[in-house]
Amino acid sequence: MIRDTIRPGTILRVLVLVALIAFLVAPERFAGLLAPLTTNNAPPIYNQGSLVDLTLSHLFTVAISTLAAAVVAVSLAVFVTRPAGREFLALSRAVVNIGQTFPPVAVLALSVPAMGFGEAPTRMALFLYGLLPIFENTLVGLSTLPPAVVEAASAMGMTGRQRLLKVELPLAMPLILEGLRLSAVIGLATATIGSTVAAKGLGEVIIAGLLSNNLAFIVQGGVITGVLAVLISDGFQAVARQAAKKSGTRPQTET
Amino acid sequence: MTMLADAGPDEPAASWRIDRLGVVIALLLVVALALPFATFRATRIASGTGLLLHEALPAPAAAAAAAALVAALAGAVTLRRPALRLAAGVLALVALALGVGAAAAFLTPADNPYARIAPGSGFWVGVFAAAMLVTDAMVRLRLGPAGRLIALAMTAALIAALLASGAWSRLSLLAEYRSRADVFWREANTHVILAAGSLAAAVAVGLPLGILAHRVRRLRDPMINVLNVIQTIPSMALFGILIAPLGWIAANVPGAHALGIRGIGMAPAFLALFLYSLLPMVANTIVGLNGVSRAVVDAARGMGLTGLQRLFQVEMPLALPVILTGIRIVLVQNIGLATVAALIGGGGFGVFLFQGLGQTATDLILLGALPPVALAFAAAVVLDAVIEISGRGKP
C-alpha cells in the first residue's frame, strides 16, 4: 500500500486548526492581538457568552440539518432513479435547478413566519436548502454510472436492492460527498445569518460587533466562521478523494 | 443545467393510466382547500386569524375559485398532454392570485385602516402545487430558449398587470410597500448596483486572470485554490472581515473617503461580492479555453492569425458558452448574497428583510425576500436561454 506523502497544505491546515482550538479555549490570551481593533477601551474578546459554546451549537445546527438533508435527498434521488419514481424525475430535476436560484437568506427569512424565531427556522432553512446540492449530485452520480458495470451486476444475479447498495451507491459516493460538502458550506454561512433570527451561533459575535461598533468582535467572529468553513470543506474533499480511490472512480473535481 | 429544459427520457405513454405525479399535486390542492386561504390581523404585527376560502370570499367568488381549483385538480390527474396540464396549472394560479386579491378587498373593514389581510397557508400550498404542475408541464413541453423567454415575459407581464390593476392593492404586502415606496425603489437600485456592478468588475478582472491562468499552467492551481478558499468563507464573515481593512484605508489613505470607501456600507459589500464572483469567472474561463480543440487553434495559426487574433477571434468565441455559464452562476449568487449586505449597512432588499425580522413583521420580510427571489429566478432563465443560443452550431 502506498502511503500519501504529507503535503505542505496538510501541515498548514493542521496548524490553522490548532490555532483555532487554542483561540476558542483561551481567547483572553489573544486579547493583545485584537486590542488594536477596539476603541474607547472596548473589550477585545467577545464577552457575552462562551466562544466554544457558540461554535459547538453552530456546528451542531449545521451537522443535524445536513445529516437530515442527506438522508432525505439521497432517498429521493434513489426513488426517482428507480422505475417506480420515473414520473417524478423530470420535475424533481427542474425543482432542484429552480430551488438553487433561491437565495439561502431568503429561505431562512421565509421560514420565520412559518416557524417563529430561534433554532427551528434556521434548521428548517438549512435542511431545505441543503437538500438541493445533495439531491442534484446523487442524481448525477446514479444516472451517469457506466452501463457496463450495472449490467455486469445484474448478470451476476444481484437483485435491484443489492445492486443499489453494493454497486450504485458506492460508485456515486464521491459525488454524494461533494454534494454534502456544498450543503455543509452553505449551511455554515446560512447558520451565521441565523443569528439574526435568534439561533445560537457564531453570527452572534459578528452582530454584537456590528451593533456596538467593535471591530475586534466582527473580525474574530468572521475569522472563526471562515476558518471553520474552509477546514470542513477541505475535510469533505479529502474524504471524497478517499472514497474515489476506494471505488476506483476518478476523483471528480468541480471547476 | 438548464432550468426547465432538461427533460429526462420519456417513457412510452400507456393508453390510460393514473398519473402519479398528478395525484400528488391533486392531494396538495385538496390540502390547500382545507387550510386557511387568508389571514386577518387587526394590526400589522398582531397575530392573525385564519379564514377558509368560503369565509374569506363572498359566496359566488368563493364558489368560482373553488371550481377553478377543483378543475385544475381533476386536470392534473386525468390530462396527459403537457399543453393541457399547463393550462390547468395556469388556471389554478390565476384563480389563486385573483382570489387572494378579492379576499383582501372583501375582508378589509371600512373603519379600520390598520387591519391587514395576508395570504394564508392554504394559498401558499395551492401556489406551490400549481407551480409544480406548471413546471412539470413546461419541462415536458421542451420549450426552446425563445419559448422560455416568452413564458418568462408573459409571467412578468401578468404580475405587472395584477399589480397595476389594483387587484392586489388591499393585500398587506402592498400596504407595506406603499408606506415605503421611495425607499423600496432606492434599495432596489442599490441591490441591482451591488449585484450587477460586482459582476461587471469580476468579468473585467476574472477574464484576463482566467486567460493568464490558461496560458501559464503554473499559476492555475494556486489561483484556483486561493479563490476556492475565498468562495468557502461565509458571506457574513467575509463582509465583516473586510470592514477592518476598508475602515483603515478610509481613515488613512487621503482621498479614499471621498471616493466612497468606508469601513461599513456598500464598499465592503461590493468588494466581498466581487471576490466571491472571481472563482466562477476564472474557473469557467479556464475550462472554456481548455475545451477549444487543438486542431482549431492550429488551423487558426496556419491561417496566419497572431496570438491575440487567435484569442479574440477563435478561442474566446468558442469558449463563450462556458464563460456565460460562469456569469450565470455569479449573477444568481450575487443577487442572493447582496441581500446579506444590509447587515453591514450596504443597503439592498435585505434592509426590509432584516427590518421585518427585527419587528416580526411577516409582510416586511416578504417585501425584502420576494424581490431577490424573483430577480435571481429571472436572471437564471434569461442567462440559460442566452447560453443555449450562444452554444448553437459549436462543437
Side-chain angles (χ1 to χ4, degrees):
Chain A
M1 201 172 152
I2 306 161
R3 283 261 180 100
D4 275 334
T5 46
I6 297 171
R7 287 176 296 180
T10 315
I11 300 171
L12 182 67
R13 285 180 186 102
V14 171
L15 287 177
V16 169
L17 179 64
V18 169
L20 176 68
I21 293 171
F23 181 78
L24 289 176
V25 174
E28 60 288 344
R29 296 194 174 224
F30 295 79
L33 208 62
L34 287 161
L37 292 171
T38 60
T39 47
N40 301 331
N41 287 326
I45 298 296
Y46 186 67
N47 54 1
Q48 293 155 33
S50 140
L51 285 174
V52 180
D53 283 356
L54 288 178
T55 306
L56 289 179
S57 53
H58 196 105
L59 288 177
F60 182 68
T61 293
V62 176
I64 58 163
S65 319
T66 311
L67 204 65
V71 170
V72 175
V74 172
S75 315
L76 282 176
V78 168
F79 171 67
V80 298
T81 48
R82 302 305 104 179
R86 190 61 64 70
E87 276 167 72
F88 296 84
L89 179 61
L91 175 66
S92 59
R93 272 196 188 142
V95 168
V96 167
N97 287 342
I98 293 170
Q100 281 178 335
T101 67
F102 278 49
V105 54
V107 179
L108 174 70
L110 294 175
S111 314
V112 170
M115 311 195 59
F117 282 80
E119 257 86 41
T122 308
R123 286 179 188 167
M124 187 50 146
L126 259 61
F127 166 74
L128 285 178
Y129 206 87
L131 289 172
L132 305 174
I134 303 176
F135 179 82
E136 185 179 23
N137 278 40
T138 311
L139 200 60
V140 172
L142 289 177
S143 50
T144 55
L145 295 171
V149 175
V150 183
E151 277 162 30
S154 303
M156 281 167 67
M158 282 189 173
T159 62
R161 191 190 168 81
Q162 285 173 326
R163 213 164 58 215
L164 175 69
L165 293 178
K166 294 194 171 150
V167 180
E168 296 181 45
L169 281 178
L171 281 175
M173 196 47 79
L175 270 173
I176 298 176
L177 285 168
E178 168 64 15
L180 268 166
R181 182 187 75 85
L182 286 169
S183 277
V185 167
I186 297 171
L188 273 164
T190 313
T192 319
I193 305 168
S195 298
T196 59
V197 302
K200 208 174 163 218
L202 288 164
E204 270 176 41
V205 183
I206 302 178
I207 290 172
L210 288 168
L211 291 177
S212 63
N213 217 350
N214 185 337
L215 209 49
F217 285 8
I218 300 177
V219 169
Q220 65 194 278
V223 171
I224 296 172
T225 14
V227 167
L228 276 178
V230 172
L231 287 178
I232 289 173
S233 168
D234 286 353
F236 270 110
Q237 275 172 340
V239 176
R241 271 195 301 272
Q242 289 302 318
K245 246 185 228 166
K246 214 171 133 191
S247 68
T249 50
R250 280 158 181 251
Q252 312 247 7
T253 45
E254 198 207 27
T255 38
Chain B
M1 49 166 229
T2 308
M3 294 193 309
L4 307 179
D6 51 354
D10 255 24
E11 63 216 287
S15 54
W16 200 91
R17 198 163 49 82
I18 295 255
D19 181 86
R20 271 188 283 182
L21 176 64
V23 172
V24 173
I25 289 171
L27 284 176
L28 278 173
L29 282 172
V30 171
V31 171
L33 283 167
L35 286 172
F37 183 68
T39 317
F40 178 89
R41 279 170 299 155
T43 67
R44 67 188 272 266
I45 54 171
S47 61
T49 338
L51 297 163
L52 293 171
L53 188 61
H54 66 91
E55 298 164 327
L57 282 168
L69 290 179
V70 170
L73 183 158
V77 181
T78 55
L79 299 173
R80 292 206 62 85
R81 284 189 41 204
L84 294 176
R85 287 169 75 90
L86 179 64
V90 171
L91 174 71
L93 281 179
V94 170
L96 287 164
L98 291 175
V100 83
F106 175 65
L107 292 171
T108 305
D111 55 342
N112 181 2
Y114 301 107
R116 291 296 174 90
I117 288 91
S121 50
F123 170 83
W124 293 116
V125 173
V127 166
F128 176 75
M132 289 296 112
L133 189 55
V134 168
T135 308
D136 183 57
M138 298 274 275
V139 172
R140 284 171 207 275
L141 276 174
R142 296 164 189 271
L143 289 179
R148 297 202 302 274
L149 287 178
I150 292 170
L152 178 70
M154 279 167 60
T155 312
L158 192 66
I159 292 173
L162 278 166
L163 287 170
S165 69
W168 280 346
S169 62
R170 292 288 178 177
L171 275 179
S172 55
L173 180 63
L174 288 191
E176 207 67 57
Y177 160 74
R178 268 195 302 276
S179 63
R180 61 196 90 223
D182 317 345
V183 190
F184 180 84
W185 290 109
R186 199 181 66 219
E187 297 303 348
N189 199 24
T190 308
H191 200 99
V192 171
I193 290 174
L194 274 176
S198 56
L199 166 68
V203 171
V205 176
L207 282 184
L209 277 183
I211 293 168
L212 183 70
H214 171 68
R215 295 282 144 102
V216 188
R217 252 222 86 112
R218 265 183 312 127
L219 284 177
R220 206 175 293 177
D221 284 349
M223 200 187 279
I224 292 292
N225 282 341
V226 169
L227 294 178
N228 233 327
V229 167
I230 294 175
Q231 181 93 357
T232 310
I233 299 173
S235 51
M236 221 166 102
L238 189 57
F239 286 157
I241 293 168
L242 287 174
I243 290 176
L246 284 174
W248 187 86
I249 290 173
N252 293 294
V253 176
H257 197 265
L259 282 173
I261 295 174
R262 307 273 191 287
I264 59 165
M266 255 180 101
F270 192 94
L271 186 57
L273 292 180
F274 164 74
L275 291 174
Y276 280 130
S277 311
L278 280 179
L279 175 70
M281 283 319 305
V282 173
N284 280 48
T285 306
I286 296 173
V287 172
L289 290 175
N290 278 348
V292 178
S293 85
R294 275 243 49 98
V296 174
V297 181
D298 286 342
R301 190 177 290 132
M303 283 167 65
L305 267 65
T306 65
L308 272 184
Q309 284 173 326
R310 278 202 307 275
L311 180 65
F312 286 111
Q313 293 174 17
V314 179
E315 292 178 82
M316 289 302 273
L318 284 173
L320 188 63
V322 184
I323 295 174
L324 283 172
T325 308
I327 292 181
R328 176 216 195 264
I329 296 169
V330 167
L331 190 56
V332 170
Q333 175 182 286
N334 282 5
I335 291 172
L337 287 175
T339 316
V340 186
L343 280 178
I344 52 163
F349 289 119
V351 169
F352 308 116
L353 189 147
F354 290 113
Q355 262 175 25
L357 288 174
Q359 305 172 1
T360 61
T362 304
D363 304 316
L364 198 49
I365 297 176
L366 286 175
L367 189 65
L370 293 181
V373 167
L375 271 182
F377 176 74
V381 172
V382 170
L383 280 170
D384 277 339
V386 173
I387 291 164
E388 207 177 315
I389 293 166
S390 76
R392 277 182 184 165
K394 284 182 187 153

